[in-house]
Amino acid sequence: GAGVSQSPSNKVTEKGKDVELRCDPISGHTALYWYRQSLGQGLEFLIYFQGNSAPDKSGLPSDRFSAERTGGSVSTLTIQRTQQEDSAVYLCASSLTFVGYGYTFGSGTRLTVV
Amino acid sequence: AQSVTQLDSQVPVFEEAPVELRCNYSSSVSVYLFWYVQYPNQGLQLLLKYLSGSTLVESINGFEAEFNKSQTSFHLRKPSVHISDTAEYFCAVSDRDSGNTPLVFGKGTRLSVIA
């Protein structure tokens, strides 16, 4: 596609439920990143996929968070047993292999845990 | 590990006035530097970047940033702002010699242009 597509754009869920957030990167981009944006906190790195390499999971805040990337394309971020502090905008970005090209971001998924 | 400090969380400025948004990063190793802009209710967009060469880089809409290695800074400037520049601006850094490590972002500066 022409850009990075994320779905859903908004998600309201009850505390304790599981949620799945989807990211469809730009075709041909080998790298895919998930960040979390909370009010006043900037962008917090969560996880990074590069080609067929093992993902860099160093930013995941707890074991309730996981992500996968199927076929080197679409990625799903899963949050299990959601908590109110998980409420944030979850941003996906993709890029070519070289970080110097910069990232293309999706519009994000706004997650609200009630 | 790198960290990025954006010294001002909010900057109000009158239309047609100059503005500087400050950014400092933590390590003096070789780096790639970026500024991203997020307009209201939109995603982040790349504004400009420094990879190598000339320390002054420019964007297509009149912003410029200067890489200063000795001060580990990459401040963003515009000589005359417009209402349409109202947005949140994020500075980001990546270590050049650490492979393609994910960008580290600052907490953002909200620029409000007043008519």
Side-chain angles (χ1 to χ4, degrees):
Chain A
V4 177
S5 177
Q6 291 188 246
S7 61
S9 55
N10 281 284
K11 176 72 175 179
V12 179
T13 189
E14 292 181 351
K15 178 181 173 181
K17 300 284 190 184
D18 298 351
V19 295
E20 287 190 349
L21 313 180
R22 176 188 168 102
C23 173
D24 198 346
I26 291 175
S27 178
H29 278 192
T30 58
L32 186 148
Y33 311 82
W34 284 97
Y35 285 82
R36 179 166 69 176
Q37 184 177 20
S38 305
L39 193 62
Q41 295 302 310
L43 275 71
E44 175 189 7
F45 165 71
L46 297 176
I47 189 169
Y48 158 47
F49 296 89
Q50 174 62 271
N52 295 320
S53 302
D56 176 355
K57 304 180 182 180
S58 60
L60 295 178
S62 78
D63 58 8
R64 296 187 295 106
F65 288 73
S66 62
E68 63 177 18
R69 188 179 185 190
T70 55
S73 181
V74 172
S75 177
T76 302
L77 176 70
T78 301
I79 309 173
Q80 295 178 311
R81 305 181 303 281
T82 51
Q83 304 295 314
Q84 288 187 328
E85 60 262 29
D86 299 334
S87 296
V89 177
Y90 289 82
L91 295 171
C92 176
S94 69
S95 74
L96 295 168
T97 303
F98 173 48
V99 69
Y101 289 115
Y103 297 174
T104 301
F105 279 88
S107 295
T109 294
R110 182 176 297 277
L111 176 66
T112 304
V113 182
V114 297
Chain B
Q2 280 282 2
S3 65
V4 176
T5 301
Q6 291 185 243
L7 294 166
D8 305 298
S9 60
Q10 297 187 62
V11 174
V13 62
F14 286 104
E15 193 174 17
E16 298 183 4
V19 70
E20 179 180 80
L21 306 183
R22 295 178 291 172
C23 171
N24 287 88
Y25 59 96
S26 59
S27 172
S28 61
V29 299
S30 297
V31 293
Y32 299 126
L33 293 157
F34 304 81
W35 277 99
Y36 283 81
V37 59
Q38 186 175 31
Y39 297 105
N41 301 313
Q42 295 187 29
L44 275 80
Q45 304 171 35
L46 180 64
L47 184 61
L48 49 74
K49 61 186 178 183
Y50 168 79
L51 302 182
S52 65
S54 173
T55 58
L56 185 66
V57 291
E58 298 178 354
S59 73
I60 59 173
N61 60 349
F63 281 93
E64 63 179 31
E66 186 159 21
F67 168 55
N68 188 318
K69 185 174 182 178
S70 63
Q71 297 185 6
T72 60
S73 68
F74 191 55
H75 301 330
L76 182 70
R77 303 184 183 96
K78 189 170 185 179
S80 175
V81 295
H82 303 288
I83 295 289
S84 60
D85 293 325
T86 294
E88 189 149 22
Y89 292 79
F90 293 92
C91 182
V93 64
S94 178
D95 284 346
R96 185 185 302 184
D97 298 326
S98 299
N100 289 306
T101 53
L103 293 182
V104 175
F105 286 84
K107 292 188 176 182
T109 297
R110 186 172 298 276
L111 174 64
S112 299
V113 181
I114 306 161

